[in-house]
Amino acid sequence: MIQNKYDSKAKPKSFKTASSSVSSTIASKKRAYLSASVILAFSVLATTAQADTTAAEDYRTPAAVDASAPIAALSKLTSLDDDEPLKVTVPTIQQFKTKSGVPVMFVQTTTLPIVDVDLRFNAGSARDGSIKKDGFGIANMTATMLEQGSKSLDENAFTRAVETLGINLSSSAYKDMFIVSLRSLSDDKHLLPAIDLMTQMVSEPTFDEQVLARNKARLLVGLQQQKQDPNSLASIAFNEALYGTHPYAHPSVGTLESVPTIEKQQLIDFKNKYLVAANASVAMTGNLTLKQAKKLAEDITAKLPTGQAATDLPEPKPLTKAQHVHIPFPSTQTTVLMGQLGSKRATDPIAQQQQTNFAVGNEVMAGSDFNARLMTEVRQNLGYTYGISGSMNPMLSRGPYQIGFSTRNDKARAAIDASLAVINETLDKGITTEEMRLTTDNLKNSFPMGFASNVGINSLLGMMNFYQLPNNYLADYTNRIDQVTLSEVNQTMRDTLKPDNFLIVTVGQEDPWKEKKVVEKTSKK
């Protein structure tokens, strides 16, 4: 599947406790079965209707049907002759900077009396090591504790204030970004105190020692439970093998070894170094005028220390040969993750067009719907798995490209070989014109759904501002789709994917790569 069909992945939320991390692993599939569910729903409806009709008319002789003949009814639908191409009007984005230099993207929406605010910092878990060597989990713990009290309000009082206002106020740490999010009613009675709470949590967190100890204890329990989740084990092993010593290698939530060593001073140091104006960006969407939005942005960023922008992350090195990692796990199924290093977030028009080319080709090959080649072959034709899909996850540095599925232990090797065969055939022969047309139509027609809500709009704004994408990034999306050509799609797929060098991680009862020994019985004479 394409994690975001308009080149703007919505990152899976980093878990604040490992119990939530267990359910969040391989979050790239969260939309994967939506279209499948719709298809199945219509299939069930059609089957039910057919069954009812058959039961009522079982005394009749079925009429012969010419399956190759056109549907006559369609020729009478004259409205199809007037069908016009989809016209999309993207939200009007207004940009400005605060007095402290923080870039702001704002979209005014007046339909609902709601305001959404994202304050983002270049400060994810990839920065943990800059605070303490092997200090995995520092960013995540900082995000957790921002919500647990300020200098003015202890944990209970802070929670009561949030609940009394009825607002959503949270903070999260991902691999390469740190986000503080607010959703509030737009009237002054609710919005102004909500902004005050937001600035308190960012500028004046207490990092209470007792709360920290409790957080670590809970997190350790969750990390122990994580050992019982094959998806989590596969994801952790995949990142470690793919990234090696790169900061993306370690889990954002931390490890059983690192979490007990996290100290209050490390959280303070992380906040002081990375939660600063020079490292920040703001996205706002809602029932505000431009004047109000500017005032709001100033209020949010006024107390941020100026600081310095974070340094660039190093570029990871791609694997030069295939690597297989197996983790024994007592289960009737084997979880499989395969893939390689992918791309970083494209910021120039040429690279953005290439990512769009790849998105089209990958949707044909590894999308989540039943028309995708991997789903058709591995699921429908061979019956090895319930679902299989693959996606690109671009970040500040090169993110991973992953294909994931689960299958019976005794079918794991066959399912892997079948998946690689589909990938190689796609790269060798390319996708077809008809496949490309269906996919580009789907991408363009589903594009408006990304900004059908305030949350969707603000997520896009936050992504664009964080990666410093231009204002016309959304407006040019359909143009990039229209500029896709079959030859460029197929060439981009060949240039990007190297299945001969894939990393393949399996978690299950038996190692698919281990040859089974045949024991010969000898008879005694």
Side-chain angles (χ1 to χ4, degrees):
M1 71 178 262
I2 302 174
Q3 276 200 324
N4 191 303
K5 294 188 176 180
Y6 28 89
D7 305 338
S8 61
K9 68 167 179 28
K11 294 199 170 206
K13 209 165 191 181
S14 170
F15 11 65
K16 299 210 183 125
T17 64
S19 57
S20 62
S21 76
V22 170
S23 63
S24 296
T25 307
I26 310 184
S28 61
K29 291 190 178 181
K30 64 178 178 295
R31 295 183 184 170
Y33 299 103
L34 176 58
S35 57
S37 300
V38 174
I39 292 171
L40 289 173
F42 278 111
S43 299
V44 171
L45 182 60
T47 303
T48 304
Q50 184 181 14
D52 291 343
T53 302
T54 303
E57 302 180 2
D58 57 358
Y59 58 87
R60 297 182 181 179
T61 302
V65 177
D66 183 359
S68 63
I71 301 175
L74 288 180
S75 63
K76 299 180 181 180
L77 293 177
T78 57
S79 59
L80 293 179
D81 298 334
D82 300 325
D83 187 39
E84 297 181 356
L86 177 68
K87 294 182 179 179
V88 178
T89 301
V90 300
T92 300
I93 302 173
Q94 302 182 75
Q95 289 182 281
F96 57 90
K97 287 188 176 182
T98 66
K99 293 177 181 178
S100 56
V102 177
V104 182
M105 282 190 172
F106 166 62
V107 167
Q108 182 182 28
T109 59
T110 57
T111 305
L112 297 173
I114 293 174
V115 172
D116 286 278
V117 180
D118 268 10
L119 175 60
R120 302 196 180 203
F121 300 93
N122 184 347
S125 61
R127 310 291 177 177
D128 287 345
S130 67
I131 302 300
K132 177 189 175 184
K133 181 178 173 56
D134 297 333
F136 311 139
I138 291 177
N140 179 75
M141 187 62 72
T142 302
T144 299
M145 296 199 67
L146 289 191
E147 301 177 26
Q148 296 177 316
S150 65
K151 291 182 179 178
S152 303
L153 301 169
D154 64 17
E155 182 183 18
N156 292 332
F158 191 90
T159 301
R160 278 196 303 270
V162 170
E163 293 178 349
T164 299
L165 289 170
I167 61 176
N168 294 332
L169 183 58
S170 63
S171 52
S172 304
Y174 306 101
K175 291 286 189 184
D176 55 7
M177 67 173 67
F178 190 109
I179 306 180
V180 180
S181 298
L182 168 68
R183 162 165 271 212
S184 169
L185 292 175
S186 58
D187 61 282
D188 288 350
K189 180 180 177 181
H190 291 85
L191 185 57
L192 296 182
I195 293 298
D196 180 59
L197 289 175
M198 185 179 189
T199 56
Q200 282 188 45
M201 68 185 287
V202 175
S203 303
E204 302 175 350
T206 55
F207 299 129
D208 182 86
E209 294 276 11
Q210 292 184 342
V211 177
L212 174 59
R214 185 190 69 206
N215 288 341
K216 292 196 291 185
R218 288 178 175 176
L219 192 52
L220 289 172
V221 171
L223 288 170
Q224 288 287 355
Q225 294 174 342
Q226 196 177 59
K227 292 182 176 181
Q228 305 306 313
D229 177 32
N231 290 331
S232 293
L233 294 175
S235 181
I236 292 170
F238 187 92
N239 286 330
E240 288 179 348
L242 184 65
Y243 286 104
T245 59
H246 189 272
Y248 285 168
H250 70 268
S252 295
V253 72
T255 66
L256 286 169
E257 295 74 26
S258 67
V259 168
T261 68
I262 295 176
E263 299 176 354
K264 176 179 178 178
Q265 187 58 48
Q266 295 163 4
L267 308 184
I268 295 173
D269 292 343
F270 185 92
K271 181 194 82 70
N272 291 341
K273 184 172 183 177
Y274 292 112
L275 306 191
V276 296
N279 213 31
S281 62
V282 175
M284 288 191 292
T285 301
N287 187 28
L288 297 170
T289 65
L290 179 59
K291 182 179 179 180
Q292 290 173 321
K294 289 182 176 180
K295 174 65 167 59
L296 204 64
E298 292 293 346
D299 292 341
I300 294 170
T301 59
K303 292 186 178 180
L304 291 177
T306 302
Q308 294 181 342
T311 58
D312 292 340
L313 292 171
E315 286 299 329
K317 297 179 180 180
L319 298 178
T320 57
K321 61 179 181 180
Q323 185 174 342
H324 304 149
V325 177
H326 179 72
I327 300 174
F329 188 82
S331 173
T332 58
Q333 288 201 324
T334 296
T335 297
V336 181
L337 270 183
M338 61 172 67
Q340 61 173 64
L341 276 182
S343 58
K344 62 194 302 181
R345 175 61 60 179
T347 56
D348 65 87
I350 294 177
Q352 288 170 6
Q353 184 62 53
Q354 289 176 338
Q355 287 195 346
T356 303
N357 295 341
F358 180 83
V360 171
N362 187 67
E363 184 72 358
V364 172
M365 183 187 75
S368 58
D369 61 59
F370 291 158
N371 292 322
R373 292 184 173 189
L374 280 174
M375 188 77 84
T376 298
E377 179 65 14
V378 183
R379 180 191 189 277
Q380 296 182 34
N381 295 344
L382 298 175
Y384 287 151
T385 183
Y386 178 78
I388 177 172
S389 63
S391 60
M392 183 75 75
N393 186 22
M395 296 189 286
L396 284 175
S397 292
R398 294 179 64 181
Y401 174 81
Q402 289 181 332
I403 294 172
F405 64 93
S406 295
T407 187
R408 278 171 38 186
N409 287 331
D410 60 333
K411 299 297 183 182
R413 181 62 183 271
I416 292 170
D417 290 343
S419 301
L420 292 173
V422 171
I423 296 169
N424 281 310
E425 182 179 13
T426 302
L427 298 183
D428 290 342
K429 298 181 180 179
I431 67 171
T432 66
T433 301
E434 179 64 13
E435 286 175 321
M436 188 186 78
R437 186 189 64 80
L438 289 173
T439 300
T440 54
D441 285 349
N442 174 268
L443 293 178
K444 287 194 293 185
N445 292 335
S446 61
F447 171 54
M449 298 301 294
F451 42 86
S453 67
N454 282 14
V455 171
I457 294 171
N458 215 52
S459 178
L460 288 172
L461 293 184
M463 180 277 300
M464 290 170 59
N465 212 3
F466 181 82
Y467 291 111
Q468 300 178 16
L469 300 178
N471 229 355
N472 61 355
Y473 179 82
L474 288 182
D476 287 349
Y477 174 74
T478 55
N479 291 334
R480 291 195 294 272
I481 293 291
D482 289 335
Q483 291 172 12
V484 164
T485 65
L486 187 64
S487 60
E488 289 176 347
V489 167
N490 288 327
Q491 189 59 51
T492 301
M493 291 286 286
R494 296 185 188 105
D495 292 341
T496 303
L497 297 181
K498 307 298 178 186
D500 289 344
N501 295 339
F502 266 11
L503 165 65
I504 303 177
V505 175
T506 54
V507 180
Q509 189 77 40
E510 299 177 358
D511 185 351
W513 311 105
K514 187 176 182 180
E515 296 291 338
K516 294 183 179 180
K517 295 181 179 180
V518 179
V519 180
E520 297 181 358
K521 294 182 179 180
T522 56
S523 58
K524 294 182 180 180
K525 293 183 178 180

